Amino acid sequence: MTGEQTKGLEGVVASQTSLSFIDGQEGVLIYRGYDIHDLAPNASFLESVFLLWNDRLPTPGELAAFEREVGGLRALDDTVIQVLRALPRDSTPMSALRTATSAAGTTDPDAEDNSAEANLRKAKRLVAQFPTMIAAFHRMREGDEPIDPDPSLSHAADFLRMANGEAGTAEAAGALDRTLLLYLDHGFNASTFTCRVIAATLGDMHSAVTGGVGALKGPLHGGANAKAMETLLEIGEVDNVAPWLDRALEQKRKIMGFGHRVYRTEDPRATHLREMSRVLTHQAGMDKWYEISRRLEAELKTRKGLNPNVDFYCATVYYALGVPIDLYTPLFAMGRIGGWTAHVMEQHADNRLIRPRAEYIGKMDRPWVSLDDR
Ligand SMILES: CC(C)(COP(=O)(O)OP(=O)(O)OC[C@H]1O[C@@H](n2cnc3c(N)ncnc32)[C@H](O)[C@@H]1OP(=O)(O)O)[C@@H](O)C(=O)NCCC(=O)NCCS
């Protein structure tokens, strides 16, 4: 195959995984053998992380112990807080999260240990600390002090409390938790593949995850959920959808939150997020954003055959929950960290360096010209 044929590695099977399965034709997503349509309404985020890491569902006792353990690991090392405090307040939260992840890798007691046991300990700390990193930076950029974690609260509820200064409703925490579950893992997506490439050099987990955060930040990947909300705000009214889309397509703009490399039908995660968006925007008295979303979805389906992906309806879910728009992608990371760490562990357990070839299309046989003669 030529480099042109494999551009973007479309259709290339780069390695094997037992973590998640996607059927892009049928719109199927499976974590460790369990259908996302069974997991999303029934399991919690941490229950699904346990599943991903252990290849089985936890018993009630194991889940309670796991939640307690992760809750007890949420506090950040002082160095990480100091690094976050030193950042310019107008840094994007994704840059802050990337920097905090890297900083955490300098103080983690298992930093350079790639053994299975050390990797699992680091994975737990990273899953536990992502909410604290995001919330702490958010507080400090607003001129407030970070709020210490409360291990007695659930993962999502404690994030909302640490970010907002007050506990949200159980419904809000439940909705956030479900988005994290839906974001947890998705085959060899760009950020996960980045993690695996770094892990395959026998790089450590924090290095791999730092790279993953960087890859997720881009608007063609995780950055799309924030861009999707900006699009809806730009459209503003249901009646403006069609004329706005005329102009956008004429300008060859990519509509954020639509299209997918793998899915040729409905993204099964979007099915859940669409319904969550309907309910939550209604409860928040913001039906308009759901209605604009539905109209945009219908127009894009008719005109371009495009379906919404995971990021489109997640945007209005987070908007209805009152999350600042530039925290949408960090929340994606707060879910995907469970998958990234699982992939690093899977890579280290059966490693081979990932090193593809490039097809050289540059010039050849150029005669050397000395500096004086140029
Ligand atoms: C996800 C994405 C990067 C996949 O890219 P890809 O597999 O390389 O697909 P392509 O960009 O080659 O798209 C194929 C065709 O569909 C069009 N298309 C795909 N997504 C589109 C979108 N969101 N808006 C408008 N057109 C789109 C492309 O312009 C292209 O049309 P063409 O053949 O006439 O040039 C792409 O759909 C996209 O940019 N979506 C918006 C960003 C986004 O939501 N990302 C989150 C993904 S979960």
Side-chain angles (χ1 to χ4, degrees):
M1 288 240 258
T2 66
E4 183 61 28
Q5 286 163 329
T6 53
K7 194 169 180 190
L9 300 185
E10 179 166 3
V12 173
V13 176
S15 189
Q16 296 180 314
T17 182
S18 306
L19 298 170
S20 59
F21 167 77
I22 305 163
D23 183 334
Q25 298 299 328
E26 299 297 325
V28 173
L29 171 59
I30 282 169
Y31 297 164
R32 290 279 195 190
Y34 293 93
D35 197 298
I36 197 71
H37 294 316
D38 290 325
L39 291 169
N42 296 307
S44 71
F45 169 65
L46 285 182
E47 195 176 352
S48 308
V49 172
F50 185 102
L51 167 66
L52 218 53
W53 290 353
N54 297 285
D55 196 15
R56 63 181 177 82
L57 292 168
T59 64
E62 285 172 332
L63 179 58
F66 186 55
E67 286 169 345
R68 261 196 315 277
E69 187 181 6
V70 172
L73 294 170
R74 255 179 234 135
L76 298 178
D77 189 277
D78 237 19
T79 307
V80 178
I81 302 259
Q82 295 311 326
V83 167
L84 284 172
R85 202 184 287 283
L87 297 178
R89 279 192 188 175
D90 61 356
S91 307
T92 66
M94 278 303 275
S95 297
L97 180 62
R98 189 193 58 220
T99 306
T101 308
S102 185
T106 66
T107 58
D108 193 287
D110 293 308
E112 305 303 329
D113 186 347
N114 285 349
S115 67
E117 299 74 23
N119 271 350
L120 185 59
R121 288 194 294 271
K122 287 188 278 193
K124 286 177 187 167
R125 284 193 282 271
L126 280 163
V127 165
Q129 290 170 5
F130 261 37
T132 324
M133 291 173 183
I134 299 163
F137 177 70
H138 177 59
R139 297 275 302 171
M140 290 192 277
R141 70 174 173 163
E142 306 265 290
D144 298 318
E145 275 304 298
I147 296 172
D148 288 336
D150 177 351
S152 73
L153 290 180
S154 78
H155 199 65
D158 205 22
F159 167 76
L160 291 173
R161 190 189 59 87
M162 289 190 288
N164 300 330
E166 54 189 40
T169 62
E171 287 73 25
L176 173 59
D177 192 79
R178 189 174 294 181
T179 66
L180 300 180
L181 182 159
L182 291 166
Y183 273 137
L184 175 60
D185 197 41
H186 209 235
F188 275 15
N189 61 88
S191 57
T192 299
F193 190 59
T194 302
C195 290
R196 288 195 75 129
V197 169
I198 297 172
T201 68
L202 295 184
D204 65 279
M205 184 169 287
H206 285 81
S207 298
V209 170
T210 302
V213 178
L216 188 74
K217 181 169 178 273
L220 293 189
H221 190 9
N225 58 7
K227 295 279 176 207
M229 194 63 228
E230 287 166 12
T231 296
L232 296 173
L233 292 169
E234 191 184 323
I235 295 172
E237 297 299 332
V238 178
D239 288 344
N240 195 29
V241 170
W244 181 90
L245 194 55
D246 289 341
R247 279 195 304 278
L249 293 179
E250 210 177 280
Q251 293 161 2
K252 302 238 172 295
R253 273 175 73 172
K254 282 267 169 77
I255 316 303
M256 293 296 154
F258 286 87
H260 200 274
R261 174 60 67 77
V262 183
Y263 291 118
R264 290 292 159 255
T265 181
E266 168 118 335
D267 178 335
R269 300 166 301 175
T271 315
H272 295 275
L273 290 161
R274 185 192 291 107
E275 179 56 13
M276 288 168 72
S277 166
R278 186 185 69 75
V279 172
L280 290 165
T281 53
H282 183 67
Q283 285 171 356
M286 296 179 176
D287 303 75
K288 177 171 107 170
W289 302 112
Y290 177 73
E291 285 156 18
I292 296 174
S293 304
R294 291 292 285 168
R295 181 73 67 87
L296 186 59
E297 179 183 0
E299 291 281 350
L300 268 167
K301 185 78 189 166
T302 313
R303 299 194 203 187
K304 300 277 290 181
L306 288 169
N307 294 300
N309 57 49
V310 67
D311 290 316
F312 185 61
Y313 282 102
C314 199
T316 38
V317 166
Y318 288 157
Y319 198 72
L321 292 176
V323 177
I325 294 176
D326 62 2
L327 293 189
Y328 293 9
T329 312
L331 290 187
F332 187 154
M334 199 170 124
R336 189 57 56 89
I337 181 64
W340 289 334
T341 49
H343 278 271
V344 171
M345 290 189 277
E346 191 178 57
Q347 186 66 40
H348 279 170
D350 183 16
N351 190 56
R352 189 161 188 225
L353 182 75
I354 298 172
R355 206 294 187 197
R357 298 277 303 273
E359 180 192 2
Y360 179 70
I361 56 166
K363 299 187 172 76
M364 299 286 273
D365 301 327
R366 301 173 89 183
W368 170 250
V369 184
S370 69
L371 195 55
D372 291 343
D373 296 333
R374 275 176 249 159

